[in-house]
Amino acid sequence: MRTREIDAVMQRFVDERQIAGGALLVRQHGEPVYQNKWGWADLAAEKPIEYDSIYRMMSMTKPVTAAAVLQLAEQGKIGLDEPISRILPEFREMRVVSDGRYAWHEGMTMLSLLPKLLFFRQDSVKTVPAEREITARDLLSHSSGLQQGIVGLLIMKKDTAKKESLAAECAKYCRQPLDFQPGTSTSYSPLAGFDVLGRMVEIVSGLRLDAYMQTHIFDPLGMKDTGFRLNGEQESRLVHAYKRKGKRLIDVTGTKDDMDAMLHRGPDYPDASGGLFSTVTDYERFARMLLRGGESILKPETVALMRSEGAKQHLESEPGLVWGLGVKLRKDPKRAGSACTAGTYGWSGAFGTHFFVSPADELEAVWCTNRTDLEGSASPISKKVEELVFGCFGKGSGA
């Protein structure tokens, strides 16, 4: 497969109004091997996408939060397998859902859960004591049980209060029942797990999460356009957010479908699970750091741990896929139906951003777009990007 096929496919996504625009950067063996951009940052104004266009990264914030936690673990300030109650005592005596009314059944959807949401009361849920305490490893590998099942989802949907601080959010999370016993299962913790990790960073470092990341990750890597808030000049480079309706893209910038409203972010909330803005070139610096074994940010053995199977026991999130520490790992791509090489890891954002790192191919790629209904890791566009990149540069491609 030649790179012109990447060009053609991505342009077709723009022409068909699958996306308004986007950009892709690929680096291999230390050198940039492909980059291109397509379409519009603002469709109505016909303002083109640029390499310094700024995107809502959503859950691609999580690997950055994981890097912050792992830096502090290297310093002995956070123990991956110690109870988080050493840092956050309020999480010492958690309870676990034991209520058959909230058992997961195959084929369940958000629509089928609506009746439960209408009449849901957290204080009516039957629970039992947790058999052990939550650890940082559990949170990093999505195996804590915190907001990882039907009860957690219903609680999350019910809570529409504006978020002001990680401390205040943790004061809520510690009172919520876990969806399963810590370390015994997995799914995805969209908000709570990584917000708790972000609060741990704040406590042990003595810095707000945004200040910590700026000093210890963004400045060292030269990520000058990455952060939880934008200044006036950066605001002018923020791409518009779109939602697809039929064959049209509807501009939903600043509406209930945009990031701040969706995450219920207060004006100064450093959302550790999904609140970062960044550019494709900035985030590529983060991916490059991982590919290079951590550079000055993390030790090589820490990056190796991050991209290894993270939970204490084998817990497949989907066939062939397991969680590392803050990233998802393609352990068996054939079973997963993935075009990636085995060992590739990375993550996605709900608005279509996506990145992956392949140690075997010495390759990393970052793809950015902002469409609010692309469903993150399930995005067919992100999967096509993987297929195209590995078709050009992966093992067996002839690259």
Side-chain angles (χ1 to χ4, degrees):
M1 186 185 295
R2 299 187 181 277
T3 57
R4 64 171 175 263
E5 185 171 347
I6 303 179
D7 301 336
V9 170
M10 303 315 292
Q11 185 59 51
R12 187 164 68 246
F13 284 140
V14 173
D15 295 342
E16 293 175 352
R17 291 297 189 255
Q18 296 285 338
I19 55 173
L24 173 65
L25 294 185
V26 184
R27 184 178 296 269
Q28 188 170 38
H29 309 308
E31 299 297 329
V33 291
Y34 181 84
Q35 66 177 44
N36 206 347
K37 52 189 174 65
W38 304 267
W40 313 101
D42 180 347
L43 267 171
E46 295 190 347
K47 180 181 178 181
I49 288 285
E50 304 293 350
Y51 290 118
D52 67 350
S53 293
I54 293 175
Y55 302 84
R56 305 151 186 82
M57 304 310 286
M58 300 298 284
S59 283
M60 269 170 62
T61 304
K62 289 181 173 71
V64 183
T65 299
V69 171
L70 291 169
Q71 283 182 330
L72 294 165
E74 289 179 348
Q75 299 167 29
K77 295 178 179 178
I78 292 177
L80 293 183
D81 296 306
E82 292 179 352
I84 65 169
S85 64
R86 183 178 71 83
I87 298 167
L88 294 165
E90 61 267 36
F91 284 88
R92 186 166 285 126
E93 295 181 356
M94 299 297 288
R95 297 189 66 83
V96 180
V97 175
S98 63
D99 197 323
R101 293 174 298 168
Y102 301 103
W104 183 263
H105 302 296
E106 199 66 36
M108 273 187 167
T109 64
M110 270 308 299
L111 190 61
S112 68
L113 291 175
L114 273 179
K116 291 184 184 293
L117 181 62
L118 291 172
F119 302 105
F120 176 76
R121 285 178 46 211
Q122 181 181 325
D123 59 8
S124 73
V125 178
K126 297 173 184 176
T127 63
V128 296
E131 294 171 1
R132 70 161 174 82
E133 293 194 44
I134 297 170
T135 66
R137 180 186 296 275
D138 295 331
L139 294 169
L140 287 164
S141 62
H142 295 273
S143 58
S144 70
L146 190 58
Q147 286 190 355
Q148 290 191 257
I150 292 176
V151 169
L153 179 63
L154 294 174
I155 291 172
M156 184 175 70
K157 290 291 183 183
K158 282 275 190 180
D159 184 9
T160 58
K162 192 78 79 175
K163 298 180 179 180
E164 303 296 344
S165 73
L166 290 169
E169 291 309 301
C170 284
K172 297 179 187 177
Y173 296 143
C174 70
R175 298 193 299 271
Q176 297 176 9
L178 306 178
D179 285 295
F180 51 78
Q181 291 288 347
T184 64
S185 186
T186 190
S187 57
Y188 181 56
S189 182
L191 300 177
F194 277 73
D195 282 352
V196 173
L197 289 166
R199 180 58 183 156
M200 291 171 69
V201 170
E202 292 186 331
I203 291 173
V204 302
S205 71
L207 296 170
R208 270 178 47 116
L209 182 65
D210 48 358
Y212 181 90
M213 286 183 174
Q214 191 67 51
T215 301
H216 297 280
I217 298 176
F218 304 149
D219 286 346
L221 290 177
M223 297 171 68
K224 59 185 176 60
D225 284 319
T226 302
F228 291 100
R229 285 293 162 194
L230 302 177
N231 62 35
E233 187 279 327
Q234 290 170 327
E235 285 275 5
S236 71
R237 290 187 277 126
L238 178 64
V239 305
H240 283 227
Y242 294 91
K243 187 173 185 177
R244 200 157 194 256
K245 185 175 183 180
K247 295 183 178 181
R248 296 184 302 126
L249 289 172
I250 308 300
D251 193 329
V252 295
T253 306
T255 72
K256 64 180 179 60
D257 292 311
D258 205 347
M259 183 169 78
D260 280 356
M262 184 178 288
L263 297 177
H264 307 297
R265 293 205 319 166
D268 202 29
Y269 182 62
D271 192 324
S273 60
L276 282 178
F277 297 93
S278 191
T279 66
V280 69
T281 49
D282 260 21
Y283 206 93
E284 192 273 329
R285 290 173 182 267
F286 180 78
R288 193 189 322 171
M289 174 274 292
L290 295 175
L291 182 61
R292 289 178 172 175
E295 293 181 317
S296 60
I297 303 299
L298 294 169
K299 296 176 181 177
E301 56 267 33
T302 302
V303 176
L305 183 65
M306 188 178 186
R307 62 181 176 85
S308 303
E309 191 165 350
K312 276 296 188 181
Q313 65 185 81
H314 180 70
L315 300 168
E316 285 191 328
S317 57
E318 300 167 61
L321 302 174
V322 295
W323 291 109
L325 301 180
V327 292
K328 184 169 274 189
L329 175 69
R330 284 73 159 172
K331 189 171 184 178
D332 186 340
K334 188 173 181 180
R335 285 186 62 225
S338 169
C340 298
T341 304
T344 298
Y345 64 98
W347 194 228
S348 312
F351 289 3
T353 52
H354 188 62
F355 92 105
F356 50 92
V357 179
S358 170
D361 298 294
E362 293 184 57
L363 176 148
E364 49 92 355
V366 179
W367 157 248
C368 287
T369 192
N370 267 176
R371 193 183 119 194
T372 65
D373 54 346
L374 275 173
E375 300 184 16
S377 65
S379 163
I381 294 176
S382 294
K383 290 180 179 179
K384 188 63 179 180
V385 168
E386 289 184 355
E387 179 187 322
L388 292 166
V389 170
F390 280 94
C392 284
F393 305 109
K395 289 185 179 298
S397 68

